[in-house]
């Protein structure tokens, strides 16, 4: 007796629920979805803002443009450059630590797995600003080594504070990439008498690098956008210098849009190409089903 696979029934059937994995590059996908004309439009708005606000200000458009021209070199070389430096070292430290924590998440040692899980949950679900305050208030201003005092600048404390949530999220990227490798490859390697360490470092991890690049770049863009948080702790970067420049010029309301508009534009101009490249690499390295 045979049964047809297309047999219909009017009986209630419980379908398997559909589960969607969280989007690992959601921020880059959103940023890259913006049309290219957004950047020039924002630039035009920043330029025209002094003319719009001139009726409520004693500053003329020419004077505001002169003020911006005077401060722009400082904002770029000592302001935004510091944001880039902080984001670079944050991702460097967070990536190195995150790789080890991610490997701990898939360790065959139950204690290591538990500790790694706790680290990920603690720093992944903690407010970034709270972590920054804790690190800034906990770490010393200088370290004594062999009788020599080595100062610890505020930006280095900010790097350490921001690297904690980055570490937790990179660890999840590593764990997800490892678990995405088909289990048949583990079984085949074990049948060839490979040790677990050899399987991980010689077979599994080389396949994970391409899968981890797009979400890693997504987190770099997020990290760069988050660096202005350190201005609340007194670290000298773009937003801090913008506030200081406006205070030096009399705190006129007409300066708000040009200075902070410039900050918006330069961050967008830096992160938008990263988002576009992330989308391209995600499509290139996607696992074909």
């Amino acid at each position: 007796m045979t049964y047809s696979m297309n047999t219909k029934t009017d009986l209630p059937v419980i379908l398997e629920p559909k589960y969607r994995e969280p989007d690992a590059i959601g921020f880059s996908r959103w940023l890259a979805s913006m049309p290219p004309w957004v950047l020039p439009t924002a630039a035009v708005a920043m330029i025209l803002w002094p003319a719009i606000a001139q009726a409520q200000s004693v500053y003329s458009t020419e004077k505001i443009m002169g003020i911006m021209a005077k401060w722009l070199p400082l904002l770029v070389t000592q302001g935004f450059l510091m944001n880039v430096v902080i984001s670079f070292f944050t991702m460097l430290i967070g990536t190195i630590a995150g790789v080890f924590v991610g490997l701990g998440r898939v360790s065959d040692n139950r204690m290591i797995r538990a500790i790694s899980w706790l680290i990920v949950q603690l720093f992944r679900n903690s407010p970034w600003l709270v972590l920054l305050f804790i690190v800034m208030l906990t770490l010393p201003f200088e370290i004594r080594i062999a009788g020599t005092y080595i100062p610890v600048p505020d930006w280095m404390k900010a790097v350490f504070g921001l690297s904690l949530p980055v570490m937790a999220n990179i660890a999840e990227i590593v764990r997800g990439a490892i678990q995405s490798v088909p289990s048949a490859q583990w079984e085949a390697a074990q049948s060839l008498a490979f040790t677990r360490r050899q399987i991980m470092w010689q077979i599994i991890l080389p396949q994970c690098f391409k899968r981890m690049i797009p979400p890693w770049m997504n987190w770099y863009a997020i990290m760069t956008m988050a660096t202005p948080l350190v201005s609340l702790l007194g670290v000298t970067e773009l937003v801090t210098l913008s506030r200081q420049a406006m205070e030096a010029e009399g705190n006129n309301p007409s300066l708000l849009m040009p200075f902070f508009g410039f900050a918006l534009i330069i961050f967008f101009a830096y992160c938008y190409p990263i988002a576009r490249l992330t989308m391209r690499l995600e499509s290139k390295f996607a696992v074909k089903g």
Side-chain angles (χ1 to χ4, degrees):
M1 183 177 184
T2 59
Y3 295 91
S4 173
M5 297 299 294
N6 297 323
T7 303
K8 296 182 179 180
T9 177
D10 56 354
L11 297 177
V13 178
I14 300 179
L15 299 178
E16 181 180 357
K18 294 183 179 180
Y19 174 73
R20 296 183 61 184
E21 291 286 343
D23 193 351
I25 58 170
F27 177 79
S28 293
R29 198 183 305 278
W30 168 78
L31 189 61
S33 65
M34 294 185 179
W37 51 261
V38 171
L39 182 60
T41 301
V44 171
M46 185 192 74
I47 295 174
L48 295 180
W49 177 260
I52 298 174
Q54 185 175 352
Q56 303 175 358
S57 171
V58 296
Y59 284 9
S60 63
T61 303
E62 293 76 12
K63 184 175 182 179
I64 294 178
M65 290 297 134
I67 292 173
M68 289 296 302
K70 179 176 68 174
W71 287 98
L72 280 184
L74 182 67
L75 295 179
V76 174
T77 58
Q78 298 187 27
F80 183 69
L81 183 59
M82 179 55 67
N83 291 89
V84 175
V85 169
I86 292 175
S87 66
F88 174 80
F89 282 103
T90 297
M91 289 302 299
L92 177 62
I93 297 175
T95 299
I96 295 174
V99 168
F100 286 100
V101 176
L103 292 175
R105 293 277 280 121
V106 296
S107 172
D108 55 353
N109 187 297
R110 181 178 300 178
M111 181 62 67
I112 295 178
R113 287 202 310 271
I115 295 175
S116 301
W117 177 86
L118 180 62
I119 292 174
V120 169
Q121 297 303 318
L122 176 62
F123 294 117
R124 197 183 184 194
N125 299 297
S126 298
W128 290 21
L129 189 58
V130 173
L131 293 175
L132 281 173
F133 273 112
I134 292 175
V135 171
M136 295 290 285
L137 296 175
T138 302
L139 293 183
F141 293 98
E142 57 185 11
I143 301 175
R144 182 180 179 180
I145 301 178
T148 302
Y149 289 92
I150 302 177
V152 181
D154 289 341
W155 72 268
M156 291 187 64
K157 297 181 182 180
V159 165
F160 182 73
L162 290 175
S163 64
L164 295 176
V166 171
M167 171 192 66
N169 286 279
I170 295 299
E172 286 297 280
I173 292 175
V174 173
R175 179 192 62 80
I178 292 175
Q179 293 182 342
S180 68
V181 177
S183 60
Q185 299 197 25
W186 287 88
E187 298 169 357
Q190 289 173 350
S191 67
L192 296 175
F194 279 82
T195 65
R196 181 178 176 84
R197 178 175 298 181
Q198 290 175 326
I199 296 173
M200 182 66 71
W201 289 97
Q202 298 179 21
I203 299 176
I204 303 301
L205 287 181
Q207 302 180 62
C208 295
F209 291 143
K210 291 182 178 180
R211 307 183 188 197
M212 291 187 291
I213 288 176
W216 184 92
M217 293 179 62
N218 179 68
W219 269 103
Y220 178 71
I222 294 175
M223 187 67 260
T224 303
M225 291 290 191
T227 52
L229 282 174
V230 304
S231 66
L232 300 176
L233 305 178
V235 179
T236 302
E237 46 77 60
L238 179 59
V239 174
T240 304
L241 288 179
S242 297
R243 292 204 309 260
Q244 294 175 355
M246 287 186 288
E247 290 174 0
E249 298 296 339
N251 273 331
N252 192 281
S254 298
L255 299 176
L256 288 172
M257 184 62 180
F259 275 96
F260 288 124
F262 171 74
L264 174 66
I265 289 172
I266 195 171
F267 272 105
F268 182 84
Y270 183 77
C271 293
Y272 185 76
I274 297 175
R276 299 292 301 181
L277 181 59
T278 301
M279 296 299 300
R280 182 176 302 178
L281 292 177
E282 195 270 342
S283 176
K284 180 180 180 180
F285 297 148
V287 178
K288 301 295 189 282

